[in-house]
Amino acid sequence: MKSQLGFEYLLSYISRFIMKYNFINKSPQFSLLFVALIFCSCNLERKEDSLSIDSWEIPTSESTEKKVSNLIQDNYFLVPLQTNDSSLIVKIEKVVFDQDFLFILDPLSPQPVKVFDSKGKHLRNIGRKGGGPGELNNPIDMFIDEKYVFIYDNPEKLVRFDRLGNFVDSQKTGVAGFRIEKNKDKGYVFINGGTESNLVTTDANFGSSKNFFPYQNRTVDQLILSPLSKLQDGTVIYRRYLNDTIFSISEQGKPVSHLFIDHGDKAFKPDPSINTDQLEERMVEYSINQLFLENTDHQVLYFLRSMNPYFSVRNKKSQKTYLINFMNLDNDLTFTNPLAFTFVTSDWFVASIDPSQLPTDRIKFDQKAKVALENVSAEDNPVLMFCKFKL
């Protein structure tokens, strides 16, 4: 089975983003409510946040540099994930690099968490599908906390394993969400799967909860790629659909404005007076964020500008920004184009590469890539690229 990787992973969300209007058009009443909610939440937050927080001004013109090798640091490394009957990956949903071990969430696999060492050797699987104690019905997220691996099993079960894969216990979260991270205050942050609030935070025992941001639409909100991520210092980052403000979660479990992405004249400006058809026509004229990632030094953004895909990197200290049409980015390291960084973990940006796209003649590869990919064949598991940017 082939896994859904990198560029395909990103494009699947872009495609679903475009297709969503078919759903909206089925209900005129819902469409008007949807437009009004977007207008109220997005416009007010944009005005308030853009005045008081760090702002990333997205350039209007592209950078001249196109080669990936000139954008990333020389310490990048490639990890071919070992392929055998028990390690076969269907779809990578999340990558966590912790204490030199790689934890891969593959929710479509009968054993959804696969553990590899830093060289890609398969060590074990954690969790299995089923209805018994410690078994999983719909594993949709995971995180590592000290010596334990936590798997979030939809609708509202958090299952704990030790690092060797032994079941420890499970808890009811009281939140039927589809994303989870542990907050600095030892509480939890959820993307809600219900119909009330998009963001929910709880204490460490799930005894009390706080709800933020009225839920706009179940289908639309769940289309967001990586609505939660985590910085190296433990800060949880949260982003919303059709909103240019990025939030961090405070130690009190409250969202705080973290960054405003300034698309200038191309910023999406909803208008509650227009109908759904006009909204569809208008949205294609603007910039719509698709994926935001951040580490200690850099921020990465994928977005659509007038329906053209763009990739941008920003140095947080110097505020220098790189921008290119995503389709023009030249991956001169593995020659699998285009290259999409879709995860961030332990301060590394991570791209997943489909081995079937690797050229058979690898004479142009640099020595590092030649060695790492020497024995990789087209039917193997994905290859992960870990990198940091030079900018």
Side-chain angles (χ1 to χ4, degrees):
M1 287 181 288
K2 286 293 178 184
S3 48
Q4 192 175 6
L5 307 169
F7 179 55
E8 292 82 359
Y9 185 58
L10 190 62
L11 277 187
S12 69
Y13 279 85
I14 294 175
S15 299
R16 289 163 66 189
F17 158 78
I18 296 169
M19 291 169 61
K20 76 178 186 299
Y21 295 105
N22 292 330
F23 172 78
I24 293 174
N25 284 333
K26 294 178 182 178
S27 174
Q29 290 179 333
F30 172 80
S31 301
L32 291 175
L33 177 61
F34 171 66
V35 173
L37 284 171
I38 291 176
F39 177 78
C40 292
S41 62
C42 297
N43 242 21
L44 290 176
E45 287 162 9
R46 179 179 290 111
K47 289 178 181 178
E48 294 173 0
D49 296 329
S50 62
L51 296 176
S52 59
I53 62 172
D54 184 23
S55 181
W56 178 2
E57 295 185 10
I58 304 299
T60 56
S61 57
E62 292 187 46
S63 305
T64 56
E65 182 58 63
K66 296 182 179 180
K67 294 186 180 298
V68 170
S69 62
N70 291 329
L71 298 178
I72 67 174
Q73 298 178 18
D74 294 337
N75 61 351
Y76 86 91
F77 60 98
L78 294 161
V79 181
L81 301 176
Q82 183 182 6
T83 307
N84 55 45
D85 290 343
S86 60
S87 72
L88 190 63
I89 293 173
V90 182
K91 177 181 182 288
I92 297 180
E93 186 70 26
K94 192 171 187 176
V95 176
V96 177
F97 190 30
D98 187 84
Q99 298 181 19
D100 285 332
F101 294 97
L102 278 167
F103 298 82
I104 308 295
L105 176 63
D106 177 13
L108 300 181
S109 170
Q111 296 178 298
V113 175
K114 294 171 172 38
V115 186
F116 300 82
D117 68 14
S118 59
K119 301 297 183 182
K121 180 182 178 181
H122 179 241
L123 302 176
R124 69 188 67 90
N125 296 328
I126 297 179
R128 66 183 180 209
K129 299 285 184 69
E135 294 184 328
L136 306 161
N137 176 49
N138 184 23
I140 52 177
D141 206 352
M142 72 167 179
F143 63 88
I144 313 297
D145 185 39
E146 298 177 350
K147 59 182 180 179
Y148 296 110
V149 178
F150 291 83
I151 302 178
Y152 189 33
D153 192 29
N154 185 272
E156 52 179 53
K157 185 169 67 173
L158 188 61
V159 187
R160 179 167 59 159
F161 299 86
D162 65 22
R163 286 175 174 262
L164 295 178
N166 300 306
F167 170 64
V168 177
D169 58 23
S170 64
Q171 290 178 281
K172 289 286 187 179
T173 65
V175 181
F178 74 104
R179 288 292 181 270
I180 187 174
E181 286 289 355
K182 192 161 188 179
N183 200 20
K184 279 186 172 182
D185 64 356
K186 302 302 181 183
Y188 298 90
V189 183
F190 294 86
I191 299 300
N192 192 6
T195 57
E196 296 180 358
S197 299
N198 182 245
L199 178 70
V200 178
T201 63
T202 72
D203 61 17
N205 299 314
F206 310 108
S208 63
S209 63
K210 301 183 180 85
N211 298 274
F212 305 95
F213 305 114
Y215 214 90
Q216 295 177 8
N217 169 268
R218 183 180 180 88
T219 301
V220 170
D221 278 41
Q222 289 199 13
L223 290 179
I224 296 176
L225 185 59
S226 297
L228 293 178
S229 59
K230 205 165 190 177
L231 300 184
Q232 186 68 4
D233 66 1
T235 300
V236 176
I237 299 298
Y238 163 71
R239 76 177 188 92
R240 302 185 64 202
Y241 179 71
L242 288 179
N243 191 288
D244 293 332
T245 300
I246 307 297
F247 298 88
S248 60
I249 307 301
S250 73
E251 293 187 11
Q252 292 73 43
K254 296 181 179 180
V256 178
S257 299
H258 174 72
L259 173 70
F260 178 70
I261 300 173
D262 186 359
H263 287 287
D265 293 340
K266 285 291 185 179
F268 177 64
K269 303 177 182 69
D271 183 347
S273 66
I274 64 176
N275 61 36
T276 303
D277 291 335
Q278 292 170 323
L279 175 64
E280 179 180 356
E281 293 174 1
R282 181 166 295 186
M283 287 183 69
V284 302
E285 301 172 4
Y286 295 106
S287 294
I288 307 296
N289 301 325
Q290 296 297 309
L291 173 63
F292 174 82
L293 301 171
E294 179 173 351
N295 71 0
T296 301
D297 299 316
H298 293 90
Q299 292 156 333
V300 167
L301 180 69
Y302 291 89
F303 65 96
L304 296 175
R305 176 186 286 171
S306 301
M307 300 311 296
N308 292 305
Y310 281 86
F311 165 70
S312 189
V313 180
R314 180 199 193 212
N315 183 300
K316 292 162 64 174
K317 184 176 181 179
S318 69
Q319 298 191 4
K320 185 177 180 181
T321 293
Y322 171 84
L323 175 71
I324 191 171
N325 185 305
F326 182 49
M327 304 306 294
N328 294 333
L329 189 62
D330 181 13
N331 176 12
D332 58 333
L333 293 175
T334 63
F335 299 90
T336 48
N337 288 309
L339 181 69
F341 296 96
T342 49
F343 307 99
V344 62
T345 178
S346 296
D347 242 20
W348 295 95
F349 294 104
V350 184
S352 183
I353 298 168
D354 185 348
S356 68
Q357 295 182 3
L358 290 169
T360 53
D361 183 1
R362 301 173 187 175
I363 191 171
K364 293 182 179 180
F365 285 16
D366 66 12
Q367 188 61 27
K368 186 184 295 187
K370 282 182 180 178
V371 172
L373 303 175
E374 182 180 9
N375 297 315
V376 174
S377 63
E379 298 302 318
D380 282 347
N381 269 336
V383 176
L384 299 183
M385 175 186 284
F386 291 76
C387 86
K388 298 180 181 180
F389 291 97
K390 292 178 178 178
L391 191 68

